[in-house]
Amino acid sequence: MPLNIKDLKITSSDFKPLGKLRDEHAGDKGNVLPKLTVSGVPAGTKELAVICHDPDAPLANGFTHWTVYGIDPATTDLSNAQEKFRVGPNGVGDKQYYGPQPPAGHGEHHYYFWVYALDTNVEGTPTREEFLQKYAGNIIEQNRIVGIYENK
């Protein structure tokens, strides 16, 4: 059954879809999490999860910048998600947001902020890969907003 991405949305007042992330959001220039808002959570959702991933990173599986679990489905504002919910490991194993920091001269990188509506609760704080492998069948809906960043 194909996943519905019509109603569930994740948006940001800090950048538009396919818009440039500001320097303050970069890992080496402030590391400030962009403002994120969730809407259109489907009925039956027990938990939301949010993952920020850069598939353009020169690594086999790209680079995971943020994983967050245990988000109440009634939550709309993710501004304090880092403190309020279960933060899982990023690509270097730290449990925190790690902003964009692509290699200089590597071109534009795309930062996918995915939101997942799940029909079950996520146990613990899995890596992105563990989450997708274990919970793919529990995703009711998913959607993303993509930001762009480049180090010249």
Side-chain angles (χ1 to χ4, degrees), residues 11-21 111 145-148:
T11 58
S12 178
S13 59
D14 285 334
F15 67 97
K16 300 291 181 212
L18 294 177
K20 185 181 182 313
L21 290 160
Y111 297 87
I145 184 171
V146 182
I148 306 232

Side-chain angles (χ1 to χ4, degrees), residues 52-149:
C52 177
H53 184 253
D54 171 10
D56 302 318
L59 301 166
N61 292 315
F63 188 85
T64 300
H65 289 265
W66 197 41
T67 57
V68 185
Y69 306 105
I71 303 170
D72 184 305
T75 301
T76 57
D77 181 4
L78 296 177
S79 297
N80 62 354
Q82 184 73 29
E83 297 82 29
K84 193 171 180 183
F85 304 109
R86 291 190 328 274
V87 178
N90 59 32
V92 294
D94 293 335
K95 292 186 176 182
Q96 66 178 25
Y97 170 74
Y98 186 85
Q101 196 173 345
H106 200 254
E108 288 184 342
H109 281 222
H110 297 78
Y111 297 87
Y112 287 72
F113 289 84
W114 285 98
V115 61
Y116 300 94
L118 302 157
D119 66 6
T120 191
N121 293 316
V122 174
E123 296 177 19
T125 53
T127 65
R128 172 186 168 270
E129 292 79 11
E130 291 166 342
F131 167 77
L132 292 173
Q133 183 175 18
K134 185 171 181 181
Y135 295 98
N138 298 102
I139 298 171
I140 300 169
E141 287 186 38
Q142 65 183 18
N143 208 335
R144 80 276 183 249
I145 184 171
V146 182
I148 306 232
Y149 193 80

Side-chain angles (χ1 to χ4, degrees), residues 17-28:
L18 294 177
K20 185 181 182 313
L21 290 160
R22 295 191 307 261
D23 283 344
E24 70 184 51
H25 302 298
D28 61 345

